[in-house]
Amino acid sequence: MTDNAQQQPTAPPTELPTQYAPADVEGPLYERWVERGYFDADEKSDKPPFTVVIPPPNVTGSLHLGHAFEHTLIDALTRRKRMQGYETLWQPGMDHAGIATQNVVERELAKEGKSRHDLGREDFVQRVWQWKSESGGQISGQMRRLGDGVAWSRERFTMDEGLSQAVQTIFKRLHDDELIYRAERIINWCPRCLTAISDIEVEYQDDDGELVSIRYGEGDTSIVVATTRAETMLGDTAIAVHPDDERYRHMVGTEIELPLTGRRIPVVADAHVDPEFGTGAVKVTPAHDPNDFEIGQRHDLPSVAVMDEHAVITTHGPFQGLDRLEARSAIVAALRAEGRIVAEKRPYVHSVGHCSRCKTTIEPRLSMQWWVKVGPLAKAAGDAVREGKVKIHPQEMEKRYFDWVDNLHDWCISRQLWWGHRIPVWYGPNGEVVCVGPNEEPPTGEGWHQDTDVLDTWFSSGLWPFSTLGWPEQTESLAKFYPNSVLVTGYDILFFWVARMMMFGLYAMDGTPPFHTVALHGMVRDQFGKKMSKSFGNAVNPLDWMDKYGSDALRFTLARGANPGVDVPIGEDWVQGSRNFANKIWNATRFALMNGATVEGPLPDASKMSATDRWILSRLNTVVAEVDAYYDDFQFAKLSDALFHFAWDEVFDWYVELSKTTFQAGGEAAEVSQRVLGEVLDVTLKLLHPIVPFVTETLWTTLTGGESLVIADWPQDSGFRDATAEREIETLQSVITEVRRFRADQGLQPGQRVPARLTLEGTALAPHEAAIRQLLRLQPEGEGFTATATLPVSGATVALDLSGTIDVAAERKRLTKDLGAAQKERQQAEAKLGNEAFLAKAPDQVVEKIRTRLAKADEDITRIENQLAKLPAN
């Protein structure tokens, strides 16, 4: 538990400090939410369910920006649904992370000078459980820091007793249905972790290697093949060519000598070979390459393994005992000595798979493993989407999903580890094989032993949507909360986790898919769109930003960049900007409280409201409708942007400012605006709460005296619209904006007061004269007023006396100088763009840059000429 989690909950503040301090608010506030059970889910409730599972983080993991991003989106969805009256379950838990966790504990043992073999399997597994108890699950405390509204009382672990029973149950059912089998196939093997690993645990990167062309055979019956892994040639059992390749047709069916070994191998014709690539001939090593294995199966070729589990050569005397990389050099040298090296290319950059855990180069290896026969399961997973039972959002991701599930290979589920769900299969002394279910006794007696492998972590996480609810028992939770309403996850694991959950869910739950919708998001990248990585020096610890700017600031930044299925750039200055937004909300609410804003009683009748009041309420209801539509379409960026601009631009920068004169004047109009302002803040804080929960909770409870926003009612569009008021305030805004722009162009300071005459009669602006004067710092015209500048704006006239505020001659001189510089810039750009010789030689980006300079110069000239025209006469 974190320090924050250990703090005692405190009551909400009754008044607001002058500044918002996230560190003082977030920890105690979160613990109060948990203590009061706001995030718990009741399976006995008659409310409609809304269920989301957390993509279970590894027990070894800590919060990274990807987690923070995904959790922010899920938390926003669940907080809104809870406010809308749904019985909301956000199911938390962690994955036992077989390889990663075993590696962590093995490294700890290594510090003691021990290996897992020194402890033995049973004691080592106990040591892992001890590590989990003492050091695992650090991310849980960090999720609290972020504000995750998960049902902590329901937290699960993929190795807990209930989930272990679910794993054993589905293994037994699949095995009995002949959908699980044991066979020798090519797998991804890590020589460091000494286990098979899944495709998702293989990271591909461009490595510097070598491409060696080797001549097999002699004279007219020789064939040249190229390889980046010369050491595997010791295991070649054929040369393959395309059936239609005329160059080699005479050799198909003959045998050719395999260099260095004395063995003779056949030449076979196989359509897999690309005759246009290289020499059009390939070496076939069925025991060490997945494509070669398939060729070997088609042509009944033997599989000759030449490396052990440590990637050490086990065959052919001169090279036996060498590591694969040592053997590669030695074999190339031996081939060179025999004159069989036709060409060598170094460095040869090519894509190489590495173990994502230890970064060791993986080795394709023929191995006896357990497999899931995915054909019928994958078809059901594809049909569920095709038939509309499950929707993938955004829809364009459906093609990637179909490309994957329609072409799935059987899934290797066994891992050569000690930490994980041990495969529930026993072998007898006479070759018996018995699969044992969760309520069955395993066979005993001399010679019986259990399979030593454990299951792939993805096997247990594939059961997550229903195993966490008590399956295989038919629990109330399962009946209430299955299927999940939505799965929010990254497109990068669409093929791995999502597809597996679909296959298992449909199989185990009688054709009911595990979720109604899959909402896919992109990856978090740096502000330049580059992948975040420690090696790139651009990786960010989200806890640092939360410490510096507050959790709300990080959450709002992430949500504001979340377009469906699209990667999210993020930079620290953006988080700082979100912190400024939180401060803006804070200060505006403090102003409202100091000016009597209230939520008590019904809203006044529209006939008693000013146009400003009617305008903001009309806009408020429009925004409520927009936000709801965006949420339903998982458009987090658009809803965040809509809320940002409404809150900052319309509420804080316009309505609050326009209301100041009303509050200063007092009376009934002020009382009406106090209630309207209270209503606007009440609804705005509710709309913002799912994304920025901490600052909004603090402000809302102070403003309204309510218990908590977590359990408050979600705002509804009342239907109130006032197009007339909206047009009137838009006109007012245009007047103020135009005059402000003119003031800035003339070099006037924002607070500098200027005598002005306003002609507003006959316009909708007449009632707003006091507000216009206050916002524009315009004082009454007074005696001796001279209109040195007149601005006709939106049917009104604003005449200004600038004689005592600016030095007209100096300002004209400055602007004239700026005009000359802009004209010179335009002349230079036009000259270059008119030079055909220059255009013929210059790169496209240089030409485009000059065109941009020309456009900018034209804009500057127009702007400066307008400013000069508006200057009063000397």
Side-chain angles (χ1 to χ4, degrees):
M1 189 175 284
T2 63
D3 289 341
N4 279 343
Q6 293 171 343
Q7 295 179 24
Q8 292 300 314
T10 58
T14 55
E15 60 182 30
L16 296 176
T18 55
Q19 291 184 325
Y20 177 50
D24 297 338
V25 170
E26 294 175 351
L29 187 53
Y30 186 85
E31 289 310 309
R32 183 163 66 252
W33 290 335
V34 174
E35 182 184 70
R36 294 181 177 180
Y38 292 154
F39 304 139
D40 293 342
D42 181 6
E43 62 269 15
K44 300 181 186 301
S45 166
D46 58 3
K47 297 178 182 178
F50 183 82
T51 315
V52 181
V53 292
I54 195 169
N58 288 351
V59 68
T60 59
S62 59
L63 191 76
H64 55 63
L65 269 179
H67 290 130
F69 173 54
E70 185 167 80
H71 290 200
T72 293
L73 305 187
I74 300 175
D75 197 38
L77 288 175
T78 54
R79 284 179 182 268
R80 172 178 174 255
K81 284 296 183 180
R82 190 178 293 110
M83 294 172 75
Q84 286 182 315
Y86 286 79
E87 192 62 36
T88 302
L89 170 60
W90 183 9
Q91 174 66 53
M94 285 182 292
D95 194 291
H96 65 278
I99 295 177
T101 307
Q102 181 158 319
N103 281 349
V104 167
V105 178
E106 286 196 86
R107 283 195 295 268
E108 285 194 352
L109 285 174
K111 295 175 184 176
E112 303 171 13
K114 298 178 182 178
S115 73
R116 61 183 164 114
H117 300 285
D118 295 323
L119 271 66
R121 182 166 192 149
E122 184 175 340
D123 288 346
F124 176 77
V125 170
Q126 287 302 314
R127 180 69 176 261
V128 180
W129 278 109
Q130 179 185 342
W131 175 88
K132 176 191 178 291
S133 175
E134 296 173 356
S135 306
Q138 174 185 349
I139 195 172
S140 293
Q142 296 166 345
M143 287 163 58
R144 294 171 181 260
R145 285 283 313 277
L146 188 65
D148 285 4
V150 299
W152 289 114
S153 62
R154 292 173 173 264
E155 188 173 12
R156 303 304 299 270
F157 180 56
T158 51
M159 287 278 286
D160 70 28
E161 184 177 352
L163 269 66
S164 295
Q165 184 182 29
V167 167
Q168 195 172 354
T169 298
I170 202 162
F171 186 99
K172 170 72 171 173
R173 291 186 185 179
L174 288 164
H175 182 272
D176 291 351
D177 287 344
E178 298 184 350
L179 293 173
I180 281 182
Y181 63 93
R182 194 166 183 248
E184 195 174 42
R185 298 274 184 86
I186 290 285
I187 44 88
N188 300 312
W189 180 263
C190 176
R192 157 62 184 79
C193 298
L194 297 179
T195 181
I197 61 176
S198 66
D199 291 338
I200 198 172
E201 291 164 324
V202 179
E203 293 180 347
Y204 288 90
Q205 65 184 47
D206 288 340
D207 286 358
D208 286 344
E210 61 181 8
L211 182 66
V212 182
S213 297
I214 308 168
R215 178 173 52 82
Y216 287 30
E218 304 293 342
D220 293 338
T221 60
S222 66
I223 296 178
V224 175
V225 297
T227 180
T228 58
R229 302 167 67 221
E231 68 278 10
T232 64
M233 67 159 290
L234 301 176
D236 288 356
T237 56
I239 296 290
V241 298
H242 193 275
D244 299 331
D245 195 329
E246 293 291 343
R247 294 171 295 178
Y248 303 113
R249 181 167 290 179
H250 67 289
M251 295 189 65
V252 173
T254 67
E255 290 188 340
I256 196 168
E257 184 172 338
L258 176 64
L260 304 181
T261 67
R263 283 194 290 119
R264 295 186 68 78
I265 58 177
V267 178
V268 299
D270 195 280
H272 171 76
V273 180
D274 181 1
E276 303 298 324
F277 183 78
T279 63
V282 297
K283 58 192 286 298
V284 182
T285 321
H288 293 281
D289 183 274
N291 293 321
D292 292 3
F293 178 79
E294 298 295 333
I295 295 175
Q297 292 288 296
R298 288 193 288 273
H299 298 275
D300 198 24
L301 300 173
S303 295
V304 178
V306 298
M307 279 180 264
D308 65 13
E309 66 269 24
H310 298 279
V312 171
I313 301 297
T314 58
T315 186
H316 200 72
F319 311 109
Q320 190 169 359
L322 295 179
D323 170 82
R324 57 184 165 168
L325 298 182
E326 296 172 332
R328 183 176 300 170
S329 298
I331 288 171
V332 170
L335 290 168
R336 190 183 299 113
E338 289 190 4
R340 292 196 172 275
I341 300 298
V342 176
E344 298 178 69
K345 184 176 182 180
R346 295 187 185 88
Y348 178 72
V349 179
H350 62 131
S351 182
V352 177
H354 297 261
C355 173
S356 63
R357 304 300 177 190
C358 68
K359 310 309 176 187
T360 302
T361 300
I362 64 107
E363 190 66 43
R365 184 169 187 255
L366 186 63
S367 178
M368 182 67 74
Q369 302 285 344
W370 285 94
W371 303 81
V372 171
K373 183 179 180 180
V374 300
L377 302 175
K379 182 181 184 303
D383 289 345
V385 175
R386 288 188 174 95
E387 294 168 5
K389 295 179 182 177
V390 178
K391 294 181 179 178
I392 293 180
H393 190 280
Q395 191 174 359
E396 54 265 27
M397 287 287 181
E398 281 187 3
K399 183 180 183 301
R400 296 179 65 176
Y401 176 78
F402 292 136
D403 286 346
W404 178 256
V405 297
D406 292 348
N407 297 284
L408 266 179
H409 298 293
D410 285 359
W411 170 21
C412 176
I413 55 172
S414 46
R415 298 291 180 266
Q416 289 65 56
L417 303 171
W418 287 356
W419 172 245
H421 295 283
R422 194 164 174 180
I423 289 176
V425 171
W426 271 255
Y427 304 103
N430 299 312
E432 302 97 331
V433 178
V434 177
C435 181
V436 178
N439 299 314
E440 300 172 355
E441 291 294 327
T444 57
E446 185 177 352
W448 283 94
H449 63 281
Q450 186 177 358
D451 196 299
T452 57
D453 288 353
V454 301
L455 287 163
D456 177 13
T457 297
W458 293 100
F459 190 94
S460 50
S461 62
L463 314 181
W464 194 246
F466 51 93
S467 63
T468 52
L469 297 173
W471 188 90
E473 301 300 324
Q474 297 305 306
T475 64
E476 288 183 293
S477 289
L478 190 65
K480 177 74 173 180
F481 295 114
Y482 187 90
N484 285 198
S485 307
V486 61
L487 174 75
V488 180
T489 192
Y491 63 69
D492 58 323
I493 57 175
L494 171 65
F495 318 125
F496 305 100
W497 189 45
V498 178
R500 281 154 173 70
M501 285 190 291
M502 287 283 283
M503 291 191 294
F504 281 165
L506 289 160
Y507 174 79
M509 299 300 292
D510 299 322
T512 302
F515 21 73
H516 296 303
T517 302
V518 180
L520 297 170
H521 59 72
M523 305 294 101
V524 179
R525 298 182 177 271
D526 71 12
Q527 59 189 328
F528 306 108
K530 190 175 183 180
K531 180 181 178 182
M532 285 191 172
S533 165
K534 289 181 180 179
S535 60
F536 294 155
N538 63 350
V540 172
N541 183 347
L543 297 170
D544 292 341
W545 281 352
M546 287 193 282
D547 288 341
K548 194 170 182 180
Y549 303 111
S551 298
D552 285 331
L554 176 64
R555 289 170 62 114
F556 192 73
T557 304
L558 291 166
R560 204 173 177 193
N563 290 296
V566 178
D567 289 346
V568 182
I570 185 172
E572 184 170 1
D573 54 337
W574 303 345
V575 184
Q576 185 175 352
S578 295
R579 187 271 313 273
N580 294 344
F581 179 50
N583 288 341
K584 186 81 170 178
I585 303 170
W586 185 271
N587 292 332
T589 306
R590 285 189 73 245
F591 166 84
L593 289 169
M594 288 188 293
N595 284 275
T598 179
V599 296
E600 294 181 4
L603 279 172
D605 189 85
S607 62
K608 296 182 179 180
M609 295 180 189
S610 67
T612 308
D613 293 331
R614 298 194 307 276
W615 159 73
I616 197 63
L617 289 174
S618 181
R619 288 291 305 128
L620 177 67
N621 280 287
T622 298
V623 169
V624 169
E626 287 177 352
V627 168
D628 276 335
Y630 288 143
Y631 262 118
D632 292 341
D633 198 36
F634 306 101
Q635 297 281 358
F636 295 97
K638 290 182 178 179
L639 74 88
S640 299
D641 214 45
L643 285 171
F644 174 85
H645 287 294
F646 174 70
W648 191 307
D649 298 346
E650 298 185 81
V651 179
F652 306 148
D653 277 0
W654 283 109
Y655 183 70
V656 166
E657 292 299 319
L658 290 170
S659 298
K660 285 180 178 178
T661 54
T662 306
F663 292 145
Q664 289 167 3
E668 184 180 2
E671 292 177 0
V672 170
S673 291
Q674 287 167 342
R675 181 64 188 89
V676 170
L677 180 54
E679 180 75 12
V680 170
L681 285 176
D682 175 22
V683 173
T684 302
L685 292 171
K686 286 177 178 177
L687 293 173
L688 284 166
H689 175 73
I691 299 174
V692 284
F694 294 109
V695 67
T696 52
E697 173 86 339
T698 306
L699 295 174
W700 186 84
T701 53
T702 306
L703 173 71
T704 69
E707 181 182 343
S708 174
L709 265 177
V710 181
I711 55 172
D713 291 336
W714 182 253
Q716 292 186 336
D717 176 8
S718 70
F720 177 81
R721 300 289 192 279
D722 193 323
T724 301
E726 289 195 37
R727 286 193 298 272
E728 183 173 326
I729 300 306
E730 286 171 7
T731 301
L732 176 62
Q733 290 171 331
S734 68
V735 170
I736 293 172
T737 301
E738 183 62 29
V739 176
R740 279 176 173 167
R741 184 181 296 115
F742 175 77
R743 285 176 57 108
D745 288 346
Q746 303 310 312
L748 296 174
Q749 295 301 313
Q752 191 171 354
R753 295 198 168 274
V754 178
R757 177 188 298 144
L758 305 184
T759 306
L760 308 176
E761 291 80 3
T763 74
L765 300 176
H768 302 286
E769 180 168 353
I772 292 172
R773 286 190 178 275
Q774 180 164 315
L775 291 177
L776 291 173
R777 302 296 189 269
L778 302 179
Q779 63 190 41
E781 51 195 272
E783 189 176 346
F785 175 84
T786 303
T788 58
T790 301
L791 303 175
V793 187
S794 301
T797 301
V798 180
L800 304 176
D801 185 353
L802 304 179
S803 57
T805 57
I806 61 172
D807 184 335
V808 176
E811 185 66 11
R812 189 178 297 280
K813 182 177 180 181
R814 181 185 71 80
L815 290 172
T816 302
K817 181 179 178 182
D818 291 347
L819 180 61
Q823 289 171 334
K824 182 177 180 181
E825 174 76 2
R826 180 170 65 181
Q827 290 170 358
Q828 291 175 343
E830 286 177 336
K832 287 187 176 181
L833 293 174
N835 186 333
E836 294 296 334
F838 169 79
L839 293 176
K841 296 179 181 179
D844 291 344
Q845 61 267 31
V846 172
V847 175
E848 185 58 34
K849 187 174 181 180
I850 294 172
R851 288 197 179 105
T852 302
R853 282 171 51 192
L854 177 60
K856 176 65 166 55
D858 285 336
E859 290 176 6
D860 289 344
I861 290 168
T862 301
R863 176 180 54 82
I864 296 168
E865 287 177 341
N866 287 336
Q867 290 176 239
L868 283 168
K870 291 178 181 178
L871 278 178
N874 289 333

